[in-house]
Amino acid sequence: MDSSGLTLNRSTIEERNSKLYHLRFLYLLLGLQIGLALLLGWYLRQHPSCAVTRFLGHWAVSLVLGILMLLIVLLCYFLSIVRREPINWLIYVLFTFLFAAFVGSLLAKDRSGLLWFVLWVLMLVALGLFLYFLVAEFYISSIGEILLIFGVAGLVLLFFLALTDVEPWKLAVGFLVACALAFFISYQHRSMVRNSLWDLGREDPVTGAVRVWFDALLGFCRIGELFTKGFGRFTI
């Protein structure tokens, strides 16, 4: 093999390793992000009369937090300058704080247990993907990704059925929503990185852990578009 072939093989391996590092670091940051929201939600639920719980319980505060989160996600999605250090870390910390406050306040009010279920599934799927990319030398296949998501969601489902009083039909709905959301979050970002649709020289996993929520939203929009087209075929 000539020197040009060796260089090509080496660059391909280095590129793949860079992408695998990107994915594992992103899912670690995403898991920590959701875990913090779950921890804060548990604290707020255990202390319903504290000042923080009362403050975050106001609808106006939740609205402001939601708007700020959306603006940060859009900034990360459309402005490449925020992906540079140390701006990317400032963006991530700020978004994680807002995300934990917003979702934590919703968890404190959630009596159905569905939001808890969905977030537990998302966190464990993110950590499961992190562990996979931590030891794997190749990308996970779509089938493997689906099996991982359903396996994790199934374990969480069994846990909730055994230790909570949430009605089974509600958990079934939460199971479908959690699996769909986890798939959109993981598949969209993984396929973009794997197919080199992003220039990793300009990308970073830190803001990727923020932009990934926009990918999930786009996934649900695509489902809505498919349903709309499907119903449109039957219109007279």
Side-chain angles (χ1 to χ4, degrees):
M1 182 180 296
D2 56 17
S3 60
S4 61
L6 291 174
T7 302
L8 178 60
N9 288 338
R10 183 171 63 251
S11 62
T12 302
I13 294 174
E14 291 173 352
E15 181 184 7
R16 186 178 69 240
N17 289 337
S18 176
K19 293 178 179 180
L20 291 174
Y21 169 80
H22 178 101
L23 290 169
R24 78 170 66 105
F25 197 27
L26 181 148
Y27 289 123
L28 175 61
L29 293 175
L30 181 62
L32 293 175
Q33 190 180 96
I34 302 174
L36 182 61
L38 286 169
L39 182 62
L40 181 60
W42 173 82
Y43 175 83
L44 295 178
R45 194 164 187 172
Q46 296 299 317
H47 302 82
S49 60
C50 73
V52 177
T53 305
R54 293 197 302 269
F55 175 75
L56 295 177
H58 291 293
W59 67 268
V61 174
S62 298
L63 179 62
V64 171
L65 291 175
I67 292 174
L68 291 176
M69 287 168 51
L70 179 60
L71 291 176
I72 292 176
V73 171
L74 294 177
L75 285 176
C76 292
Y77 207 87
F78 294 108
L79 293 182
S80 59
I81 190 174
V82 301
R83 301 166 196 168
R84 304 173 184 174
E85 294 184 352
I87 301 177
N88 58 347
W89 283 106
L90 294 175
I91 290 291
Y92 173 79
V93 170
L94 177 59
F95 179 84
T96 299
F97 173 79
L98 295 174
F99 180 84
F102 177 77
V103 176
S105 64
L106 296 181
L107 288 171
K109 302 174 184 177
D110 179 30
R111 302 304 175 187
S112 67
L114 291 182
L115 184 57
W116 286 92
F117 175 83
V118 171
L119 287 175
W120 269 106
V121 171
L122 293 181
M123 185 188 71
L124 293 178
V125 166
L127 294 180
L129 289 171
F130 160 71
L131 292 176
Y132 173 87
F133 288 114
L134 185 64
V135 299
E137 297 181 356
F138 298 95
Y139 307 108
I140 187 172
S141 64
S142 297
I143 297 299
E145 192 172 50
I146 292 174
L147 291 176
L148 186 149
I149 291 172
F150 274 86
V152 170
L155 290 176
V156 178
L157 178 61
L158 292 176
F159 177 85
F160 269 70
L161 285 173
L163 301 180
T164 68
D165 56 355
V166 182
E167 297 179 29
W169 72 268
K170 291 183 179 180
L171 288 177
V173 173
F175 180 87
L176 296 176
V177 172
C179 289
L181 190 57
F183 182 77
F184 290 142
I185 287 177
S186 59
Y187 177 78
Q188 177 72 10
H189 199 92
R190 178 180 60 84
S191 62
M192 293 286 284
V193 172
R194 179 177 181 175
N195 296 325
S196 299
L197 298 178
W198 284 344
D199 179 7
L200 289 186
R202 298 182 180 180
E203 293 293 328
D204 78 290
V206 180
T207 53
V210 176
R211 298 196 311 276
V212 73
W213 295 105
F214 193 71
D215 294 330
L217 178 61
L218 291 178
F220 278 106
C221 289
R222 291 190 185 97
I223 287 184
E225 182 181 356
L226 290 176
F227 274 107
T228 302
K229 290 181 179 179
F231 285 124
R233 295 176 182 174
F234 298 98
T235 58
I236 300 176

